[in-house]
């Protein structure tokens, strides 16, 4: 791929449209915004939707005053050009206040400060995965400053949100989220998002190590890829956007994303929106958790740091994971009993279907580009009218090579990207459990308590039940094919 040049665009102001009487009017009513979010299969930017949110004033200086000297955890990463992703397991961590972070970020750190071992010119800092409910535990009134209800989700506010504060170069490794879709409100500074559609999954070389519940990582550093080791990545359809303050990015389900801060200080707020498909995904995640933890703890029980993401703080014993799996399965069946929409096809187990899937594994790994030009909806039905306009901007696919970390994050002027028509098209990760899996976690605890005094019910899934499925000849054949393909890289 050839390196592409950036083009400048007019600045988009997120100040709200004015009505006939001069009052600010939001371009989408909550019902319409939710309709767009639930139907759109392409990333897009909402403009002029948050101009009246009190949280629009939440810059790092203001937050440092609100948090009042509270120490939070910063992830420290290197400003480097490595082709290997900087996973959380390879980073170091610092406990510091936001005031200390801002002092260090101005390159005024003293030898006595918590950042004393980190040269500001060589390191970035990221306070990521900070849930409001734990960060502002004694200031719950602040939850109302975030109004996701404007996007059609009544009652959703800061209580179901996560805060991100980073310095220049701070980033998350490329990954997809197993659950939900994502809304990201940019408060301070700009972030550049690199996104890839779900059909590009084979080209992103997915991995579950390091393990984090509901996050599938890519083995590739997408801003500095090793194309000799990962040649299929050249087929990936990169979409890029620079998210500016006052804008809200919508990330559809299973879109891969890598996010990098391109200003000295960035502040973002996000919320994951639950979807119908999450019920089955939780069962798949529970199976993955049980397998990864069983194999890795058997390998070396003392060395969890090498494979378990620091965001995973729960106990990883086999008994807990077994209850975790049973809770997910129980929740799935409870949903099926109460929902009129049941995805029967997701549970098909007839031999003909399994054989067809098995034979298609290799072809799936080698699939070419599938043409993501018509990604407006996932139904395959033509839309009566495009939802895009001056206040809803699609994220454009970028055909040329993106800037490297040196030329993009650290050497760029940060100008936004444009498509061929000159329209502005200016990309996320976290511990999703807190708001998405509250019910499942409650069920896990109840099951642990009941298991201590009663025998398992007939519906209880045992380790043998799981193994019986995993060592099914059809499954092991697929696994063997994947292992062989992996070693042929």
């Amino acid at each position: 791929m050839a390196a592409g040049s950036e083009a400048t665009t007019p600045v988009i102001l997120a100040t709200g449209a004015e009505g006939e009487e001069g009052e600010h009017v939001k371009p989408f009513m909550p019902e319409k915004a939710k309709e767009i979010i639930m139907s759109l299969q392409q990333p897009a930017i909402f403009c002029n939707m948050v101009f009246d949110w009190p949280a629009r004033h939440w810059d790092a200086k203001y937050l440092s005053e609100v948090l009042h000297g509270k120490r939070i955890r910063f992830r420290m990463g290197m400003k480097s050009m490595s082709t290997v992703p900087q996973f959380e397991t390879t980073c170091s961590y610092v406990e510091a206040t936001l005031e200390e972070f801002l002092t260090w970020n101005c390159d005024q750190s003293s030898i006595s400060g918590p950042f004393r071992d980190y040269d500001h010119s060589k390191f970035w800092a990221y306070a990521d995965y900070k849930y409001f409910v734990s960060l502002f535990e004694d200031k719950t009134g602040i939850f109302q400053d975030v109004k996701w209800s404007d996007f059609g989700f009544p009652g959703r506010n800061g209580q179901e949100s996560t805060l991100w504060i980073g310095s220049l170069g701070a980033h998350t490794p490329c990954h997809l989220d197993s659950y939900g879709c994502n809304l990201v409100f940019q408060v301070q500074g700009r972030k550049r998002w690199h996104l890839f559609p779900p059909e590009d999954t084979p080209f992103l070389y997915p991995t579950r190590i390091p393990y984090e519940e509901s996050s599938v990582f890519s083995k590739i550093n997408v801003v500095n890829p090793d194309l000799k080791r990962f040649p299929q990545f050249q087929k990936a359809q990169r979409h890029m956007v620079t998210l500016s303050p006052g804008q809200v990015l919508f990330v559809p389900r299973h879109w891969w994303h890598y996010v990098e801060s391109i200003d000295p200080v960035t502040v973002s707020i996000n919320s994951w929106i639950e979807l119908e498909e999450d019920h089955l995904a939780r069962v798949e995640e529970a199976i993955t958790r049980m397998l990864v933890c069983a194999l890795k703890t058997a390998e070396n029980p003392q060395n969890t740091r090498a494979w378990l993401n620091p965001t995973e703080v729960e106990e990883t014993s086999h008994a807990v994971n077994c209850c975790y799996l049973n809770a997910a399965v129980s929740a799935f069946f409870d949903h099926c009993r109460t929902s009129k929409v049941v995805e029967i096809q997701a549970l098909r187990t007839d031999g003909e279907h399994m054989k067809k899937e098995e034979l298609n594994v290799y072809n799936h790994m080698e699939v070419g580009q599938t043409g993501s030009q018509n990604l407006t909806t996932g139904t395959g039905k033509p839309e009566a009218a495009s939802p895009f306009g001056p206040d809803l901007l699609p994220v454009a696919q970028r055909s040329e090579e993106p800037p490297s970390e040196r030329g993009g994050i650290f050497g760029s002027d940060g100008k936004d990207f444009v498509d061929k028509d000159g329209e502005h098209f200016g990309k996320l990760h976290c511990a999703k459990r807190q708001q998405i899996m509250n019910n499942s976690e409650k069920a896990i605890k109840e099951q642990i308590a009941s298991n201590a005094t009663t025998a398992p019910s007939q519906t209880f899934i045992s380790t043998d039940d799981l193994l019986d499925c995993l060592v099914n000849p059809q499954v092991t054949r697929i696994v063997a094919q994947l292992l062989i393909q992996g070693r042929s890289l």
Side-chain angles (χ1 to χ4, degrees):
M1 298 183 183
S5 58
E6 297 186 20
T8 58
T9 58
V11 176
I12 293 182
L13 299 177
T15 56
E18 292 194 12
E20 293 182 359
E21 299 180 0
E23 296 181 355
H24 290 309
V25 178
K26 298 196 176 185
F28 304 104
M29 295 295 290
E31 297 79 11
K32 181 60 179 178
K34 184 175 182 179
E35 178 187 332
I36 292 171
I37 290 167
M38 289 303 177
S39 63
L40 200 62
Q41 297 299 305
Q42 176 180 356
I45 298 176
F46 285 91
C47 300
N48 303 318
M49 288 291 288
V50 297
F51 56 81
D52 60 344
W53 288 19
R56 74 190 186 280
H57 300 303
W58 284 19
D59 60 20
K61 188 176 185 302
Y62 169 79
L63 290 171
S64 69
E65 297 171 357
V66 171
L67 290 173
H68 218 48
K70 182 173 184 177
R71 300 177 75 82
I72 57 180
R73 197 183 195 204
F74 288 85
R75 178 161 57 97
M76 308 301 297
M78 291 286 294
K79 296 179 177 179
S80 67
M81 281 291 289
S82 173
T83 59
V84 179
Q86 287 196 58
F87 292 118
E88 281 89 335
T89 50
T90 63
C91 293
S92 53
Y93 292 82
V94 165
E95 298 283 338
T97 66
L98 271 182
E99 186 177 6
E100 290 169 329
F101 161 73
L102 291 172
T103 298
W104 170 81
N105 200 47
C106 293
D107 206 15
Q108 300 173 8
S109 55
S110 65
I111 57 173
S112 60
F115 294 97
R116 59 186 176 274
D117 297 326
Y118 299 93
D119 185 334
H120 180 262
S121 66
K122 298 178 180 178
F123 287 87
W124 49 259
Y126 208 4
D128 45 10
Y129 321 120
K130 299 297 180 281
Y131 282 98
F132 281 33
V133 291
S134 56
L135 193 62
F136 302 110
E137 52 191 350
D138 56 342
K139 299 179 176 65
T140 55
I142 206 169
F143 294 166
Q144 306 304 319
D145 287 7
V146 180
K147 303 178 180 181
W148 298 115
S149 55
D150 284 351
F151 289 86
F153 302 97
R156 183 179 290 265
N157 54 37
Q159 190 166 0
E160 296 84 18
S161 302
T162 307
L163 184 68
W164 309 71
I165 304 172
S167 64
L168 179 68
H171 64 270
T172 56
C174 186
H175 68 283
L176 67 79
D177 303 319
S178 301
Y179 309 141
C181 58
N182 197 2
L183 287 174
V184 189
F185 168 34
Q186 192 64 26
V187 180
Q188 179 181 3
R190 295 165 300 161
K191 282 185 173 179
R192 183 167 294 149
W193 287 69
H194 303 244
L195 302 103
F196 304 86
E199 61 264 29
D200 281 359
T201 293
F203 312 143
L204 273 294
Y205 298 83
T207 180
R208 295 312 301 264
I209 304 296
Y211 173 75
E212 179 180 85
E213 192 268 336
S214 79
S215 293
V216 182
F217 292 103
S218 170
K219 298 177 183 178
I220 303 170
N221 180 350
V222 298
V223 295
N224 190 28
D226 183 347
L227 296 180
K228 290 184 178 180
R229 186 180 179 193
F230 305 112
Q232 293 293 311
F233 179 63
Q234 296 179 85
K235 299 179 181 179
Q237 306 163 88
R238 186 192 302 265
H239 294 61
M240 296 184 70
V241 63
T242 299
L243 194 64
S244 299
Q247 297 179 332
V248 175
L249 175 65
F250 165 63
V251 182
R253 183 175 189 263
H254 286 181
W255 271 72
W256 292 84
H257 45 279
Y258 170 101
V259 197
E260 53 186 347
S261 296
I262 61 173
D263 279 327
V265 180
T266 61
V267 177
S268 308
I269 298 171
N270 88 290
S271 188
W272 286 277
I273 308 299
E274 301 88 340
L275 297 173
E276 192 78 18
E277 300 90 333
D278 293 347
H279 296 281
L280 184 58
R282 290 192 185 98
V283 177
E284 297 170 355
E285 280 298 309
I287 293 172
T288 302
R289 177 190 180 96
M290 197 167 181
L291 285 173
V292 171
C293 292
L295 292 174
K296 295 303 292 185
T297 53
E299 179 181 75
N300 189 341
Q302 282 74 44
N303 192 27
T304 57
R305 177 177 169 80
W307 60 271
L308 188 65
N309 233 37
T311 53
E312 292 292 316
V313 296
E314 291 86 359
E315 185 180 354
T316 58
S317 72
H318 183 74
V320 169
N321 290 337
C322 191
C323 291
Y324 202 84
L325 173 59
N326 274 273
V329 173
S330 297
F332 175 80
F333 283 117
D334 287 343
H335 171 71
C336 289
R337 280 190 289 268
T338 58
S339 175
K340 295 180 181 179
V341 182
V342 181
E343 295 291 340
I344 300 296
Q345 291 184 347
L347 296 175
R348 285 191 301 167
T349 56
D350 58 278
E352 180 180 351
H353 173 70
M354 292 294 288
K355 181 177 289 186
K356 180 179 179 181
E357 291 296 313
E358 171 190 318
L359 293 175
N360 281 339
V361 168
Y362 185 81
N363 289 335
H364 178 65
M365 295 295 289
E366 296 296 328
V367 68
Q369 291 190 28
T370 56
S372 63
Q373 308 307 317
N374 186 20
L375 290 174
T376 303
T377 65
T379 61
K381 299 177 182 179
E383 283 281 289
S386 170
F388 299 117
D391 298 294
L392 183 68
L393 311 175
V395 175
Q397 181 178 339
R398 186 171 173 84
S399 58
E400 61 266 27
E401 179 78 3
S404 66
E405 286 198 14
R406 187 179 304 277
I409 302 177
F410 308 118
S412 168
D413 59 4
K415 295 173 182 176
D416 296 342
F417 297 104
V418 294
D419 73 341
K420 61 184 180 181
D421 297 318
E423 292 287 337
H424 171 96
F425 300 124
K427 143 198 169 121
L428 171 287
H429 172 79
C430 303
K432 281 70 63 173
R433 286 178 305 285
Q434 189 151 344
Q435 72 266 24
I436 293 183
M437 291 199 70
N438 281 342
N439 292 336
S440 293
E441 289 181 347
K442 181 179 179 182
I444 292 170
K445 294 175 182 177
E446 292 174 350
Q447 180 120 30
I448 292 174
S450 64
N451 286 347
T453 56
T454 62
S457 66
Q458 288 184 337
T459 58
F460 183 80
I461 296 175
S462 67
T463 302
D464 287 347
D465 293 329
L466 178 58
L467 282 173
D468 189 44
C469 297
L470 294 174
V471 298
N472 181 295
Q474 294 168 325
V475 174
T476 54
R477 184 171 300 173
I478 294 174
V479 172
Q481 291 177 344
L482 291 172
L483 279 174
I484 292 170
Q485 291 166 29
R487 301 316 300 168
S488 65
L489 295 178

